Amino acid sequence: MFKNLAPPEYLATIDQVKCIRCKRCIQNCGWGVYSWGGDKVLINTSKCVKCLRCYHYCPEEAIQIVDNPTRFKQNAYWGYNNIRNIKRQAETGGIPLTGMGSDLPYTILFDNLLIDACQVTNPSIDPLREPMELRTYLGKKPSSVDVEKGKDGKLKLKTKMPPQIKIDLPVIFSPMSYGSISLNAQKVLAMAAKECGILMNTGEGGLHEDLLPYKDNIIVQVASGRFGVNPDYLNAGVAVEIKIGQGAKPGIGGHLPGEKIPLEVARARMIPVGTDALSPAPQHDIYSIEDLRQLIYAIKEATNYKPVSVKIAAVHNVAAIASGIVRAGADIVYLDGFRGGTGAAPSIIRDHLGIPIEYAIAAVDDRLRQEGIRNEASIVAAGGIRSSADAAKAIALGADSVAIATAALITMGCTTCGKCYTGNCSWGITTQRPELTARLDPEVYAERLINLIHAWEHELKEILGALGINAIESLRGNRERLRGVGLDAQTLDILGVKPAGR
Amino acid sequence: MDHNYQKDISGCGLTGLISKKKRRLSGAEIVKSLCLMNDRGNGLGAGYAAYGIYPDFKDFYAFHIMFDEPSVRWTVEEYLKANYHIEKIEEIPTFPVKAISISPLLVRYFVKPLKERLVGEVQEADFVVNSVMKVNSEIEGAYIFSSGKNMGAFKGVGNPCDIAEFFRIEDYEGYIWTAHTRFPTNTPGWWGGAHPFTLLDWSIVHNGEISSYGINKRYLEMYGYKLTLLTDTEVAAYMLDLLIRRHGLSIPTACLALAAPFWKKIDDRDKDEREALTALRQTYGSALLNGPFSILFGHSKGLVGINDRIKLRPLVAAIKDDITYMASEESAIRAICPNPDTVWAPRAGEPVIVDLD
Ligand code: SF4
Ligand code: SF4
């Protein structure tokens, strides 16, 4: 047998002088890089993924993880990944997997868009002194309402409003299932969602009973595997989401291997312990838009008409598909861009299928307006939202809210190492190994996630203030307040944005 | 896509008055009031709107049309003849003013849609709106700047006194008047860009910059409005048309959508009001006019003044006998009404609504 013909990506090194042999690195590493050699720590660097858990827990700063200087010969065309994947495939005949969102250097439109600010002709507003409103309602809106003044002089609503989900700011958490992430990680999301007045999403793995106290801040998901779906589950949260696709792996199903299905996960998913949890690529009762409509209404019937969200990956024809979804009765269209994260996806799929979320938002928002149905559904945009600035830009392009996952995981320690699919996450996030998940204390990490959301909340208010507006609805779809830098005319046209200087 | 337009940015002064008893007042008053605020404009646009000025033609839509080129006139008239009964055509009387060296051709038409053109469910008002949109967006060089009944707008590039003299505003008599002087910072120097902006019976004068313009515009486009002008005022006018005429909201309710109360205030109301106000904001979020503004809008039955939600532009109101005055500055009111019965500064977002008796 050859040894792996690709040189390791990283070199884990220990300064033997500084090292006090406390063995914390051995304990902390989920990938088994370190072992005890009797008098010193031994290193198997080929297992290192640079998640930096050991580095953070080494009391002596004895550890260094460096990019391996021994690489394949530099080649502008044949990149490291190309060569490594071929070598791996030559060994296994398999499909190389990966985790997190694509890290390839495609153009990042967010980084080519700049936000406006007020000078002289309209005053900016100081968010510390003036009210600044981020509250958002997700759900179908009527095109008009009927309001009457009663005999007592008070207003009274005559129109029956479709159900709305109130969020305190337009940033929610993307679906991540129990199984793909740990229960503790889900608890962090749930606690933070509740505290911040936003939403978390169960993903397709069913609902663990520990999350029930947070049900007013939970969207439950129904995906192709239908794990854990029953009437109680459908009614447990504030809305139900039908997952058609995911930005990181459009058109691809999911496969959670049996080793990752211990008792608790099995119970939540309602499948036997240790069986593979297979999510087929399509939902086998949805082969067309009419089928989707039937499922949407079946769920509405089963839940006494809770809002239904439909999640799709941003693909080339996303505008027409989204329009169909809205016409099929969805209250929310959840668009997941190709940069969106994943627990596990074939890297060939993750890196080469779909389109960036910025285009998708613009195309869908335009299409729904052209068809006069923009009010019929809210747009949630996800897939690579890295900061409140990305969020503001996504909203200005036309989204009602953004959803974040990777950013939330980063608050739990994640360094986007991309090895989630191994189930060995040293931070206790994308793993079910009890010794690893135990280290993710939900209370402690919820605090950090809450801090992040509050920080973004403040930043969004600063952005609105600089724009001279005091309600988020005045930013939503307000592309006039964006300018493109270094974008070609056609891209600007698709985004509906003027170039800087105009 | 037409997102590459250049948005017009301007500061302004505005004034308006209404006689609840429908006493027809000479335009001289409003001219005096506006001219006092000369320094709020920079001579690049001024205008007047008046209601009750065409009593002899009160059942006809009075189209005031400007033609950049006299030749376009025939294209427009052909279109009008095919769709309207035309009661009368005349050039709008104008008088030479030194400061105004060039002006477009200005003609008014008193018209009524031909019965046979109103097929099916089409309402007369919708038909007229569509005609205005069509002419303004499709016929290059022609612009309908007034289209209501028994009312009219008179506006152009110039300072308030010159424009008043040019149109002899003092010769008109109306029971509602609004007027406006502009301080555009990047004006295209186009007569149509001046205020008041009108559609059907709505007339709007506006001071400020609507920072939510981008979404307001896209929202209106979803309902078929074509925004051909480069001003915020157009947005305000169409928004009123949509909310009041097409969606049937009352004027006070429409004001609650345009300058919505803050959530905190809404949450404090009792259940019914909270529900109603919440639904209004949820539904009309894209109609919220955000940014500094004060607006006066006239219509066939009254006059309304409204400020943005945190009052970033001035608005003062006063009452004397049957007349209510509203203006950017108190001095503009006192110039024509030295001893009002009451004077007050309307609070942020709270409209002043005056209906004719
Ligand atoms: S954690 Fe640091 S000090 Fe402790 S054994 Fe590992 S390298 Fe040595
Ligand atoms: S969740 Fe864990 S395994 Fe996945 S990228 Fe983050 S640190 Fe790496």
Side-chain angles (χ1 to χ4, degrees):
Chain A
M1 215 7 224
F2 291 113
K3 85 168 181 185
N4 188 319
L5 284 177
E9 260 185 287
Y10 312 106
L11 297 181
T13 60
I14 292 177
D15 183 332
Q16 293 298 345
V17 180
K18 284 186 181 168
C19 175
I20 56 168
R21 274 78 176 152
C22 71
K23 303 181 192 165
R24 282 194 193 141
C25 47
I26 304 175
Q27 208 186 9
N28 270 285
C29 183
W31 280 273
V33 171
Y34 305 104
S35 58
W36 187 237
D39 58 345
K40 64 171 185 183
V41 177
L42 303 177
I43 304 170
N44 180 353
T45 206
S46 62
K47 291 185 171 171
C48 180
V49 302
K50 203 178 181 181
C51 79
L52 299 185
R53 176 84 188 182
C54 59
Y55 173 84
H56 285 289
Y57 281 82
C58 171
E60 299 300 317
E61 299 227 352
I63 297 179
Q64 284 241 17
I65 311 290
V66 292
D67 292 349
N68 187 357
T70 307
R71 292 245 149 176
F72 305 117
K73 178 189 153 300
Q74 180 86 24
N75 183 323
Y77 192 68
W78 286 92
Y80 176 86
N81 285 346
N82 299 125
I83 302 175
R84 187 205 49 200
N85 285 349
I86 288 175
K87 288 188 181 287
R88 271 208 230 152
Q89 289 180 307
E91 281 159 25
T92 65
I95 298 177
L97 291 180
T98 186
M100 302 313 281
S102 178
D103 54 359
L104 292 190
Y106 293 102
T107 305
I108 304 168
L109 289 183
F110 282 133
D111 294 346
N112 291 290
L113 290 170
L114 291 174
I115 301 169
D116 191 20
C118 294
Q119 299 288 298
V120 185
T121 55
N122 53 351
S124 44
I125 305 171
D126 184 347
L128 297 176
R129 291 189 175 80
E130 304 278 353
M132 206 41 88
E133 301 183 314
L134 298 180
R135 186 190 296 183
T136 300
Y137 286 90
L138 299 179
K140 193 185 291 291
K141 314 285 188 292
S143 64
S144 66
V145 285
D146 193 1
V147 169
E148 255 182 24
K149 205 166 198 134
K151 286 205 183 76
D152 53 356
K154 298 223 159 122
L155 296 173
K156 204 167 160 47
L157 182 64
K158 294 274 152 199
T159 312
K160 187 168 162 27
M161 286 293 283
Q164 305 289 323
I165 310 167
K166 176 180 153 199
I167 48 178
D168 287 348
L169 72 157
V171 178
I172 61 176
F173 300 130
S174 321
M176 285 180 282
S177 70
Y178 177 34
S180 81
I181 62 171
S182 62
L183 183 58
N184 279 348
Q186 276 203 336
K187 282 185 192 166
V188 172
L189 295 167
M191 285 173 172
K194 185 169 184 176
E195 176 63 29
C196 299
I198 56 173
L199 302 167
M200 68 89 75
N201 185 317
T202 59
E204 60 169 322
L207 180 69
H208 192 280
E209 62 197 21
D210 286 4
L211 295 181
L212 283 174
Y214 307 98
K215 62 182 175 27
D216 292 341
N217 298 85
I218 288 180
I219 296 178
V220 295
Q221 199 185 58
V222 173
S224 61
R226 298 289 155 86
F227 301 117
V229 176
N230 66 17
D232 291 342
Y233 173 77
L234 292 176
N235 281 287
V238 291
V240 179
E241 179 167 276
I242 299 170
K243 176 187 176 182
I244 301 295
Q246 183 174 343
K249 43 178 174 178
I252 295 285
H255 180 185
L256 199 60
E259 305 87 75
K260 289 199 188 169
I261 314 280
L263 181 63
E264 290 283 288
V265 176
R267 274 181 49 185
R269 295 200 174 220
M270 300 177 183
I271 55 173
V273 177
T275 49
D276 289 5
L278 289 168
S279 303
Q283 303 225 9
H284 282 300
D285 52 359
I286 306 178
Y287 282 2
S288 69
I289 202 83
E290 314 85 85
D291 294 345
L292 175 67
R293 184 184 177 83
Q294 287 192 1
L295 182 60
I296 290 173
Y297 279 93
I299 289 174
K300 288 191 175 187
E301 284 293 332
T303 58
N304 199 11
Y305 284 75
K306 285 196 175 169
V308 172
S309 164
V310 174
K311 175 179 174 179
I312 50 168
V315 290
H316 301 186
N317 223 356
V318 66
I321 297 165
S323 152
I325 289 171
V326 175
R327 291 181 189 282
D331 301 81
I332 299 169
V333 188
Y334 183 122
L335 303 172
D336 199 15
F338 100 111
R339 289 272 184 193
T342 173
S347 54
I348 207 81
I349 299 290
R350 184 195 74 169
D351 292 338
H352 301 281
L353 273 60
I355 63 170
I357 189 62
E358 300 93 318
Y359 290 105
I361 301 168
V364 170
D365 182 58
D366 273 348
R367 177 65 67 93
L368 298 184
R369 284 178 192 284
Q370 280 157 16
E371 297 185 6
I373 54 173
R374 178 62 184 87
N375 57 297
E376 295 281 319
S378 295
I379 298 175
V380 174
I385 304 294
R386 300 158 300 174
S387 65
S388 59
D390 287 353
K393 292 168 190 178
I395 290 167
L397 284 173
D400 289 84
S401 173
V402 298
I404 58 167
T406 303
L409 298 189
I410 290 173
T411 68
M412 302 178 207
C414 168
T415 54
T416 71
C417 76
K419 295 295 188 291
C420 321
Y421 62 95
T422 62
N424 295 324
C425 178
S426 301
W427 296 95
I429 304 167
T430 51
T431 175
Q432 302 305 326
R433 282 164 55 188
E435 74 280 16
L436 298 178
T437 59
R439 50 180 72 160
L440 189 73
D441 181 336
E443 307 259 329
V444 172
Y445 283 94
E447 186 85 36
R448 297 168 62 88
L449 182 51
I450 291 163
N451 283 344
L452 175 81
I453 299 300
H454 284 162
W456 285 22
E457 182 174 356
H458 289 308
E459 288 175 336
L460 283 173
K461 288 181 176 181
E462 290 289 345
I463 291 172
L464 288 190
L467 284 164
I469 51 184
N470 50 19
I472 192 76
E473 53 260 51
S474 299
L475 177 64
R476 191 187 309 139
N478 192 348
R479 302 180 188 175
E480 168 60 20
R481 308 306 295 279
L482 290 177
R483 289 293 184 275
V485 272
L487 295 175
D488 61 80
Q490 187 146 32
T491 305
L492 288 167
D493 189 44
I494 292 164
L495 296 178
V497 167
K498 286 188 246 179
R502 278 281 171 77
Chain B
M1 298 274 298
D2 63 340
H3 59 268
N4 262 315
Y5 67 95
Q6 290 270 316
K7 185 170 164 247
D8 186 31
I9 294 176
S10 62
C12 321
L14 47 83
T15 180
L17 57 86
I18 173 170
S19 157
K20 277 174 78 96
K21 293 199 172 129
K22 279 191 150 183
R23 285 194 291 133
R24 290 173 66 211
L25 309 164
S26 147
E29 296 271 294
I30 201 81
V31 171
K32 193 170 166 199
S33 172
L34 186 68
C35 289
L36 185 102
M37 295 188 291
N38 222 357
D39 63 339
R40 298 189 73 91
N42 63 359
L44 287 177
Y48 301 83
Y51 292 77
I53 53 172
Y54 299 134
D56 298 342
F57 297 96
K58 65 181 172 24
D59 296 327
F60 296 92
Y61 293 92
F63 283 7
H64 291 190
I65 309 186
M66 54 178 74
F67 302 101
D68 293 346
E69 288 280 334
S71 59
V72 197
R73 178 171 175 175
W74 311 123
T75 318
V76 174
E77 288 190 357
E78 231 165 76
Y79 171 76
L80 288 180
K81 274 184 202 140
N83 292 285
Y84 289 85
H85 158 74
I86 304 179
E87 180 73 7
K88 183 178 170 149
I89 304 180
E90 64 183 358
E91 288 198 11
I92 299 175
T94 59
F95 301 86
V97 175
K98 227 206 208 133
I100 299 175
S101 50
I102 37 168
S103 60
L105 173 64
L106 297 152
V107 185
R108 65 187 165 208
Y109 303 80
F110 294 94
V111 302
K112 215 181 231 173
L114 292 173
K115 284 249 157 43
E116 63 267 28
R117 305 295 299 168
L118 299 175
V119 279
E121 295 285 283
V122 177
Q123 303 281 323
E124 196 176 273
D126 282 322
F127 184 81
V128 174
V129 170
N130 287 341
S131 300
V132 173
M133 298 281 157
K134 195 175 162 66
V135 170
N136 291 356
S137 66
E138 290 173 21
I139 305 183
E140 181 92 30
Y143 181 61
I144 303 181
F145 63 101
S146 190
S147 52
K149 286 181 182 167
N150 199 12
M151 62 82 68
F154 305 90
K155 61 183 185 179
V157 175
N159 69 38
C161 304
D162 293 334
I163 292 294
E165 225 182 301
F166 179 79
F167 284 108
R168 284 272 169 88
I169 295 297
E170 77 246 35
D171 290 351
Y172 292 94
E173 288 183 336
Y175 41 79
I176 304 171
W177 280 94
T178 59
H180 186 267
T181 176
R182 296 174 83 208
F183 198 133
T185 50
N186 67 343
T187 182
W190 177 53
W191 281 53
H195 301 198
F197 183 80
T198 73
L199 181 70
L200 296 174
D201 292 343
W202 308 112
S203 73
I204 309 253
V205 290
H206 156 255
N207 168 18
E209 182 171 339
I210 296 176
S211 308
S212 53
Y213 180 87
I215 182 56
N216 301 144
K217 174 174 182 277
R218 298 183 70 223
Y219 175 69
L220 286 167
E221 282 167 351
M222 189 169 116
Y223 290 96
Y225 291 89
K226 296 199 177 81
L227 289 94
T228 49
L229 276 184
L230 312 175
T231 64
D232 295 330
T233 318
E234 182 186 38
V235 155
Y238 291 166
M239 209 61 98
L240 289 166
D241 185 62
L242 176 69
L243 267 52
I244 298 171
R245 189 176 61 82
R246 283 174 60 183
H247 288 178
L249 297 185
S250 69
I251 288 176
T253 309
C255 290
L256 285 168
L258 297 184
F262 284 95
W263 285 118
K264 230 176 127 237
K265 276 200 184 160
I266 294 177
D267 294 347
D268 287 346
R269 304 286 180 95
D270 61 20
K271 187 171 162 290
D272 279 353
E273 289 226 303
R274 188 172 63 235
E275 262 178 25
L277 290 169
T278 302
L280 270 173
R281 263 197 89 167
Q282 288 168 336
T283 307
Y284 289 109
S286 301
L288 173 67
L289 300 180
N290 210 325
F293 69 82
S294 48
I295 287 177
L296 296 185
F297 71 89
H299 56 100
S300 54
K301 299 191 192 74
L303 178 67
V304 178
I306 186 167
N307 255 155
D308 64 83
R309 312 202 295 159
I310 52 176
K311 192 149 183 164
L312 294 170
R313 284 286 196 269
L315 184 66
V316 182
I319 297 178
K320 174 82 182 170
D321 303 329
D322 67 324
I323 302 180
T324 304
Y325 301 86
M326 292 181 229
S328 299
E329 295 179 12
E330 192 177 327
S331 55
I333 295 175
R334 294 211 183 252
I336 50 173
C337 172
N339 297 305
D341 302 336
T342 44
V343 182
W344 77 102
R347 294 167 69 99
E350 280 179 17
V352 180
I353 299 174
V354 188
D355 293 329
L356 293 169
D357 287 341

